[in-house]
Amino acid sequence: MSKTWFITGINSGLGREMATQALDNGDRVAGTVRKQGSVDDLKARYPDRLWVAQLDLTDIEAIQGCVKAAFAKFGRIDVIVNNAGYGLFGAAEGLSTDQIRHQIDTNLVGPIEVTRVAIPYLRQQGGGRIIAISTYGGQATHPGASLYHASKWGIEGFFDSLSQELAPLNIGVTIIEPGSARTTFREAAAANAGSAPDAYNGTPVGMVKAFLSDTSRVPVGDPEKMASAILESASQTPAPRRLVLGSDAFAAIEKALQARTHELETSRAIAPTTDFH
């Protein structure tokens, strides 16, 4: 059966690939872009099934109006995909307050607000699916990515809890945890990386920008295959709580969870000693 999707950030990368595949499959898409005209080619191919709105995820009032307009346009939306976002990298002390706020507002607060506005519509229509694009960095961390991780760990916590909150209402929630992908993510992150004081020279943080700009490090993830897996997950019942995409993502998350379990064991003896008796 055909579906109607609301996808943020369809102008490039994974978002554009998801929108393209959904439209090719005969589905309808309400998509958001940062710049008007960035998906004119898709609009020309699918004038009746693609609705596009310009949206800045830091503008809460605009989010509310955009989601409401999308439901008004199509009547029913089956899947909400919180895809739009970006990576902010660099030493934490080298980031400005404005950079920090913009990262959290775009990657975390924006998706929360999109979802909060959409939930009443999903309830009234008897169900639906919410998909949040996180990253393996929502489970594992690297130095020099503290704010990006903060935004994605926030995504993981919010949508993990929300999945339990909405399950009785026939609304499924899935967190997507992709690894590296052959999109423009790294190039954009390198161009907008924060500064690092000289004290970080030669440290992992000091080498972050060089890593992001290193064209010899080819991402292993195929955006087309990733988008296909995400679209397919929307038809799975019950909704998978998490979906890991990419061998690098799986390896990183597995390593992080094993280390966390080991660290947890070191508190086994002391944890109960702080209980009331």
Side-chain angles (χ1 to χ4, degrees), residues 76-109:
R76 176 187 177 92
I77 295 178
D78 303 288
V79 189
I80 305 293
V81 184
N82 288 288
N83 165 74
Y86 71 100
L88 175 63
F89 299 93
E93 65 172 292
L95 302 175
S96 70
T97 300
D98 286 343
Q99 285 178 308
I100 292 169
R101 288 297 302 269
H102 195 271
Q103 175 79 140
I104 299 301
D105 285 348
T106 301
N107 284 15
L108 178 58
V109 179

mmCIF file of all heavy atoms in Angstrom, residues 76-109:
data_model
loop_
_atom_site.group_PDB
_atom_site.id
_atom_site.type_symbol
_atom_site.label_atom_id
_atom_site.label_comp_id
_atom_site.label_asym_id
_atom_site.label_seq_id
_atom_site.Cartn_x
_atom_site.Cartn_y
_atom_site.Cartn_z
ATOM 1 N N ARG A 76 -3.781 12.852 5.484
ATOM 2 C CA ARG A 76 -3.196 11.829 6.343
ATOM 3 C C ARG A 76 -1.721 11.716 6.020
ATOM 4 O O ARG A 76 -1.322 11.735 4.851
ATOM 5 C CB ARG A 76 -3.871 10.474 6.119
ATOM 6 C CG ARG A 76 -3.242 9.327 6.918
ATOM 7 C CD ARG A 76 -3.812 7.964 6.555
ATOM 8 N NE ARG A 76 -3.124 6.905 7.291
ATOM 9 C CZ ARG A 76 -3.529 6.420 8.461
ATOM 10 N NH1 ARG A 76 -4.643 6.887 8.998
ATOM 11 N NH2 ARG A 76 -2.842 5.477 9.078
ATOM 12 N N ILE A 77 -0.907 11.600 7.062
ATOM 13 C CA ILE A 77 0.530 11.331 6.893
ATOM 14 C C ILE A 77 0.847 10.096 7.718
ATOM 15 O O ILE A 77 0.563 10.038 8.913
ATOM 16 C CB ILE A 77 1.386 12.525 7.326
ATOM 17 C CG1 ILE A 77 1.132 13.728 6.397
ATOM 18 C CG2 ILE A 77 2.870 12.162 7.311
ATOM 19 C CD1 ILE A 77 1.894 14.988 6.768
ATOM 20 N N ASP A 78 1.413 9.109 7.056
ATOM 21 C CA ASP A 78 1.663 7.827 7.716
ATOM 22 C C ASP A 78 2.976 7.797 8.487
ATOM 23 O O ASP A 78 3.077 7.147 9.526
ATOM 24 C CB ASP A 78 1.676 6.701 6.671
ATOM 25 C CG ASP A 78 0.388 6.639 5.883
ATOM 26 O OD1 ASP A 78 -0.631 6.226 6.466
ATOM 27 O OD2 ASP A 78 0.387 7.024 4.692
ATOM 28 N N VAL A 79 3.992 8.482 7.952
ATOM 29 C CA VAL A 79 5.331 8.383 8.538
ATOM 30 C C VAL A 79 5.947 9.781 8.668
ATOM 31 O O VAL A 79 6.010 10.527 7.693
ATOM 32 C CB VAL A 79 6.263 7.504 7.684
ATOM 33 C CG1 VAL A 79 7.580 7.253 8.439
ATOM 34 C CG2 VAL A 79 5.601 6.183 7.318
ATOM 35 N N ILE A 80 6.399 10.089 9.869
ATOM 36 C CA ILE A 80 7.135 11.315 10.137
ATOM 37 C C ILE A 80 8.615 10.957 10.230
ATOM 38 O O ILE A 80 8.998 10.124 11.059
ATOM 39 C CB ILE A 80 6.691 11.969 11.464
ATOM 40 C CG1 ILE A 80 5.176 12.205 11.487
ATOM 41 C CG2 ILE A 80 7.471 13.249 11.721
ATOM 42 C CD1 ILE A 80 4.693 13.228 10.490
ATOM 43 N N VAL A 81 9.451 11.562 9.399
ATOM 44 C CA VAL A 81 10.885 11.268 9.414
ATOM 45 C C VAL A 81 11.654 12.526 9.809
ATOM 46 O O VAL A 81 11.698 13.502 9.060
ATOM 47 C CB VAL A 81 11.390 10.769 8.049
ATOM 48 C CG1 VAL A 81 12.871 10.388 8.153
ATOM 49 C CG2 VAL A 81 10.573 9.573 7.573
ATOM 50 N N ASN A 82 12.247 12.488 10.985
ATOM 51 C CA ASN A 82 13.092 13.588 11.444
ATOM 52 C C ASN A 82 14.514 13.329 10.953
ATOM 53 O O ASN A 82 15.297 12.609 11.581
ATOM 54 C CB ASN A 82 13.060 13.657 12.977
ATOM 55 C CG ASN A 82 11.744 14.178 13.498
ATOM 56 O OD1 ASN A 82 11.434 15.347 13.373
ATOM 57 N ND2 ASN A 82 10.942 13.278 14.077
ATOM 58 N N ASN A 83 14.829 13.910 9.814
ATOM 59 C CA ASN A 83 16.103 13.646 9.158
ATOM 60 C C ASN A 83 17.062 14.830 9.201
ATOM 61 O O ASN A 83 18.269 14.643 9.348
ATOM 62 C CB ASN A 83 15.846 13.258 7.693
ATOM 63 C CG ASN A 83 17.112 13.320 6.861
ATOM 64 O OD1 ASN A 83 17.984 12.463 6.959
ATOM 65 N ND2 ASN A 83 17.230 14.363 6.048
ATOM 66 N N ALA A 84 16.557 16.041 9.065
ATOM 67 C CA ALA A 84 17.422 17.209 8.927
ATOM 68 C C ALA A 84 18.327 17.386 10.146
ATOM 69 O O ALA A 84 17.924 17.184 11.288
ATOM 70 C CB ALA A 84 16.576 18.466 8.720
ATOM 71 N N GLY A 85 19.562 17.772 9.880
ATOM 72 C CA GLY A 85 20.520 18.012 10.949
ATOM 73 C C GLY A 85 21.911 18.163 10.360
ATOM 74 O O GLY A 85 22.110 18.022 9.155
ATOM 75 N N TYR A 86 22.878 18.442 11.208
ATOM 76 C CA TYR A 86 24.251 18.594 10.736
ATOM 77 C C TYR A 86 25.203 18.295 11.876
ATOM 78 O O TYR A 86 24.786 18.147 13.037
ATOM 79 C CB TYR A 86 24.474 20.010 10.196
ATOM 80 C CG TYR A 86 24.502 21.085 11.264
ATOM 81 C CD1 TYR A 86 25.709 21.605 11.735
ATOM 82 C CD2 TYR A 86 23.315 21.589 11.807
ATOM 83 C CE1 TYR A 86 25.730 22.585 12.711
ATOM 84 C CE2 TYR A 86 23.329 22.572 12.784
ATOM 85 C CZ TYR A 86 24.542 23.073 13.241
ATOM 86 O OH TYR A 86 24.557 24.034 14.204
ATOM 87 N N GLY A 87 26.489 18.203 11.564
ATOM 88 C CA GLY A 87 27.486 17.899 12.572
ATOM 89 C C GLY A 87 28.335 19.109 12.919
ATOM 90 O O GLY A 87 28.833 19.796 12.032
ATOM 91 N N LEU A 88 28.481 19.375 14.205
ATOM 92 C CA LEU A 88 29.364 20.423 14.698
ATOM 93 C C LEU A 88 30.516 19.757 15.439
ATOM 94 O O LEU A 88 30.297 19.040 16.417
ATOM 95 C CB LEU A 88 28.604 21.366 15.643
ATOM 96 C CG LEU A 88 29.442 22.447 16.331
ATOM 97 C CD1 LEU A 88 30.041 23.400 15.314
ATOM 98 C CD2 LEU A 88 28.602 23.212 17.356
ATOM 99 N N PHE A 89 31.734 19.983 14.958
ATOM 100 C CA PHE A 89 32.897 19.315 15.529
ATOM 101 C C PHE A 89 33.946 20.321 15.964
ATOM 102 O O PHE A 89 33.985 21.451 15.472
ATOM 103 C CB PHE A 89 33.494 18.337 14.518
ATOM 104 C CG PHE A 89 32.541 17.251 14.112
ATOM 105 C CD1 PHE A 89 31.745 17.390 12.987
ATOM 106 C CD2 PHE A 89 32.413 16.099 14.864
ATOM 107 C CE1 PHE A 89 30.851 16.399 12.610
ATOM 108 C CE2 PHE A 89 31.518 15.099 14.515
ATOM 109 C CZ PHE A 89 30.739 15.246 13.380
ATOM 110 N N GLY A 90 34.819 19.898 16.849
ATOM 111 C CA GLY A 90 35.874 20.753 17.375
ATOM 112 C C GLY A 90 35.925 20.670 18.888
ATOM 113 O O GLY A 90 35.049 20.092 19.535
ATOM 114 N N ALA A 91 36.966 21.257 19.458
ATOM 115 C CA ALA A 91 37.113 21.271 20.915
ATOM 116 C C ALA A 91 35.940 22.004 21.555
ATOM 117 O O ALA A 91 35.533 23.069 21.089
ATOM 118 C CB ALA A 91 38.429 21.950 21.290
ATOM 119 N N ALA A 92 35.414 21.466 22.629
ATOM 120 C CA ALA A 92 34.254 22.081 23.286
ATOM 121 C C ALA A 92 34.541 23.526 23.679
ATOM 122 O O ALA A 92 33.682 24.400 23.517
ATOM 123 C CB ALA A 92 33.858 21.268 24.520
ATOM 124 N N GLU A 93 35.736 23.797 24.166
ATOM 125 C CA GLU A 93 36.040 25.161 24.601
ATOM 126 C C GLU A 93 36.246 26.112 23.423
ATOM 127 O O GLU A 93 36.248 27.334 23.601
ATOM 128 C CB GLU A 93 37.285 25.180 25.489
ATOM 129 C CG GLU A 93 38.573 24.777 24.797
ATOM 130 C CD GLU A 93 39.790 25.000 25.691
ATOM 131 O OE1 GLU A 93 40.103 26.175 25.966
ATOM 132 O OE2 GLU A 93 40.409 23.990 26.099
ATOM 133 N N GLY A 94 36.391 25.553 22.224
ATOM 134 C CA GLY A 94 36.576 26.387 21.047
ATOM 135 C C GLY A 94 35.291 26.730 20.327
ATOM 136 O O GLY A 94 35.305 27.451 19.322
ATOM 137 N N LEU A 95 34.171 26.214 20.824
ATOM 138 C CA LEU A 95 32.874 26.481 20.200
ATOM 139 C C LEU A 95 32.227 27.702 20.835
ATOM 140 O O LEU A 95 32.330 27.911 22.042
ATOM 141 C CB LEU A 95 31.947 25.271 20.355
ATOM 142 C CG LEU A 95 32.454 23.948 19.772
ATOM 143 C CD1 LEU A 95 31.489 22.820 20.118
ATOM 144 C CD2 LEU A 95 32.649 24.048 18.272
ATOM 145 N N SER A 96 31.555 28.491 20.028
ATOM 146 C CA SER A 96 30.857 29.665 20.553
ATOM 147 C C SER A 96 29.496 29.261 21.104
ATOM 148 O O SER A 96 28.945 28.200 20.761
ATOM 149 C CB SER A 96 30.679 30.713 19.452
ATOM 150 O OG SER A 96 29.724 30.266 18.488
ATOM 151 N N THR A 97 28.936 30.120 21.927
ATOM 152 C CA THR A 97 27.602 29.871 22.477
ATOM 153 C C THR A 97 26.577 29.773 21.352
ATOM 154 O O THR A 97 25.664 28.934 21.397
ATOM 155 C CB THR A 97 27.216 30.980 23.459
ATOM 156 O OG1 THR A 97 28.163 31.005 24.532
ATOM 157 C CG2 THR A 97 25.818 30.745 24.020
ATOM 158 N N ASP A 98 26.725 30.621 20.342
ATOM 159 C CA ASP A 98 25.791 30.589 19.218
ATOM 160 C C ASP A 98 25.891 29.260 18.468
ATOM 161 O O ASP A 98 24.867 28.693 18.055
ATOM 162 C CB ASP A 98 26.070 31.739 18.247
ATOM 163 C CG ASP A 98 25.609 33.079 18.803
ATOM 164 O OD1 ASP A 98 24.813 33.087 19.764
ATOM 165 O OD2 ASP A 98 26.061 34.118 18.273
ATOM 166 N N GLN A 99 27.104 28.756 18.276
ATOM 167 C CA GLN A 99 27.287 27.463 17.609
ATOM 168 C C GLN A 99 26.625 26.346 18.416
ATOM 169 O O GLN A 99 25.969 25.459 17.855
ATOM 170 C CB GLN A 99 28.766 27.154 17.431
ATOM 171 C CG GLN A 99 29.460 27.933 16.337
ATOM 172 C CD GLN A 99 30.936 27.599 16.254
ATOM 173 O OE1 GLN A 99 31.658 27.657 17.254
ATOM 174 N NE2 GLN A 99 31.386 27.227 15.066
ATOM 175 N N ILE A 100 26.813 26.387 19.715
ATOM 176 C CA ILE A 100 26.255 25.352 20.588
ATOM 177 C C ILE A 100 24.733 25.381 20.538
ATOM 178 O O ILE A 100 24.084 24.333 20.369
ATOM 179 C CB ILE A 100 26.756 25.550 22.029
ATOM 180 C CG1 ILE A 100 28.258 25.262 22.108
ATOM 181 C CG2 ILE A 100 25.984 24.655 23.002
ATOM 182 C CD1 ILE A 100 28.900 25.674 23.411
ATOM 183 N N ARG A 101 24.149 26.562 20.676
ATOM 184 C CA ARG A 101 22.694 26.674 20.656
ATOM 185 C C ARG A 101 22.125 26.237 19.313
ATOM 186 O O ARG A 101 21.089 25.553 19.254
ATOM 187 C CB ARG A 101 22.274 28.126 20.952
ATOM 188 C CG ARG A 101 22.466 28.544 22.384
ATOM 189 C CD ARG A 101 21.600 27.741 23.338
ATOM 190 N NE ARG A 101 20.191 27.844 23.019
ATOM 191 C CZ ARG A 101 19.389 28.767 23.536
ATOM 192 N NH1 ARG A 101 19.861 29.656 24.397
ATOM 193 N NH2 ARG A 101 18.108 28.803 23.210
ATOM 194 N N HIS A 102 22.793 26.618 18.232
ATOM 195 C CA HIS A 102 22.281 26.264 16.901
ATOM 196 C C HIS A 102 22.324 24.755 16.688
ATOM 197 O O HIS A 102 21.397 24.179 16.097
ATOM 198 C CB HIS A 102 23.075 26.986 15.818
ATOM 199 C CG HIS A 102 22.411 26.980 14.473
ATOM 200 N ND1 HIS A 102 22.618 25.969 13.548
ATOM 201 C CD2 HIS A 102 21.506 27.831 13.908
ATOM 202 C CE1 HIS A 102 21.883 26.218 12.470
ATOM 203 N NE2 HIS A 102 21.197 27.327 12.661
ATOM 204 N N GLN A 103 23.400 24.096 17.165
ATOM 205 C CA GLN A 103 23.489 22.651 17.037
ATOM 206 C C GLN A 103 22.377 21.944 17.796
ATOM 207 O O GLN A 103 21.686 21.072 17.258
ATOM 208 C CB GLN A 103 24.850 22.157 17.558
ATOM 209 C CG GLN A 103 25.029 20.654 17.585
ATOM 210 C CD GLN A 103 25.366 20.030 16.252
ATOM 211 O OE1 GLN A 103 26.171 19.130 16.161
ATOM 212 N NE2 GLN A 103 24.763 20.485 15.165
ATOM 213 N N ILE A 104 22.166 22.325 19.044
ATOM 214 C CA ILE A 104 21.133 21.680 19.865
ATOM 215 C C ILE A 104 19.739 22.004 19.347
ATOM 216 O O ILE A 104 18.858 21.135 19.287
ATOM 217 C CB ILE A 104 21.280 22.101 21.339
ATOM 218 C CG1 ILE A 104 22.649 21.683 21.903
ATOM 219 C CG2 ILE A 104 20.150 21.505 22.174
ATOM 220 C CD1 ILE A 104 22.910 20.190 21.851
ATOM 221 N N ASP A 105 19.521 23.252 18.954
ATOM 222 C CA ASP A 105 18.202 23.639 18.453
ATOM 223 C C ASP A 105 17.860 22.905 17.158
ATOM 224 O O ASP A 105 16.715 22.494 16.950
ATOM 225 C CB ASP A 105 18.143 25.148 18.214
ATOM 226 C CG ASP A 105 18.047 25.938 19.505
ATOM 227 O OD1 ASP A 105 17.806 25.321 20.562
ATOM 228 O OD2 ASP A 105 18.226 27.172 19.465
ATOM 229 N N THR A 106 18.845 22.743 16.279
ATOM 230 C CA THR A 106 18.594 22.084 14.994
ATOM 231 C C THR A 106 18.465 20.577 15.138
ATOM 232 O O THR A 106 17.516 19.970 14.613
ATOM 233 C CB THR A 106 19.735 22.401 14.001
ATOM 234 O OG1 THR A 106 19.838 23.814 13.812
ATOM 235 C CG2 THR A 106 19.479 21.732 12.657
ATOM 236 N N ASN A 107 19.411 19.977 15.828
ATOM 237 C CA ASN A 107 19.475 18.509 15.878
ATOM 238 C C ASN A 107 18.561 17.868 16.913
ATOM 239 O O ASN A 107 18.181 16.708 16.770
ATOM 240 C CB ASN A 107 20.907 18.059 16.170
ATOM 241 C CG ASN A 107 21.824 18.176 14.978
ATOM 242 O OD1 ASN A 107 21.506 18.844 14.002
ATOM 243 N ND2 ASN A 107 22.985 17.545 15.054
ATOM 244 N N LEU A 108 18.214 18.610 17.958
ATOM 245 C CA LEU A 108 17.441 18.018 19.051
ATOM 246 C C LEU A 108 16.091 18.698 19.272
ATOM 247 O O LEU A 108 15.047 18.053 19.188
ATOM 248 C CB LEU A 108 18.259 18.051 20.345
ATOM 249 C CG LEU A 108 17.565 17.502 21.607
ATOM 250 C CD1 LEU A 108 17.118 16.062 21.414
ATOM 251 C CD2 LEU A 108 18.491 17.624 22.822
ATOM 252 N N VAL A 109 16.107 19.996 19.525
ATOM 253 C CA VAL A 109 14.849 20.683 19.829
ATOM 254 C C VAL A 109 13.921 20.663 18.606
ATOM 255 O O VAL A 109 12.712 20.436 18.731
ATOM 256 C CB VAL A 109 15.106 22.131 20.290
ATOM 257 C CG1 VAL A 109 13.785 22.845 20.572
ATOM 258 C CG2 VAL A 109 15.988 22.146 21.533
#
